[in-house]
Amino acid sequence: MDLGRRVCTARAPACGTCPLRPGCPAADAGAAEFPVLRRRQGPYLGSMRQRRGRLLGRLARDGWALAGADPEAAASLVGDGLARREGNRLLRAA
């Protein structure tokens, strides 16, 4: 978290001091050409981040959730390897 707050900032990225510099696509493309560094993050309330976080919290707490409760967030977690489907249930990734 500190890396994003102190080194990899949108306004003034300090690529020269970044420990992740060798594999960074933003540094390779140049900060001005890398649009992800320039985009502001949208509000958290109601966002996919919030929905995924809620579902991940349920999986961490209970070990499962209904996959149909939020199918888009469930598909996103499965796609990222953070969860797996078994029938209509979503389970923690093994």
Side-chain angles (χ1 to χ4, degrees):
M1 296 295 198
D2 280 346
L3 183 68
R5 185 170 57 94
R6 294 181 183 178
V7 177
C8 192
T9 65
R11 289 196 177 119
C15 298
T17 64
C18 182
L20 304 176
R21 170 75 170 88
C24 179
D28 292 342
E33 299 173 25
F34 200 73
V36 173
L37 291 177
R38 300 285 181 214
R39 187 179 70 207
R40 287 194 70 94
Q41 202 169 43
Y44 180 71
L45 191 62
S47 69
M48 177 61 83
R49 290 176 295 146
Q50 181 185 31
R51 293 167 37 209
R52 282 173 49 109
R54 191 177 302 144
L55 203 47
L56 272 176
R58 172 79 190 266
L59 292 175
R61 185 178 59 248
D62 302 335
W64 71 280
L66 290 175
D70 190 337
E72 189 179 5
S76 175
L77 293 177
V78 170
D80 288 344
L82 298 171
R84 59 185 167 82
R85 283 187 191 273
E86 264 187 28
N88 68 340
R89 291 173 19 141
L90 193 66
L91 305 170
R92 283 188 294 214

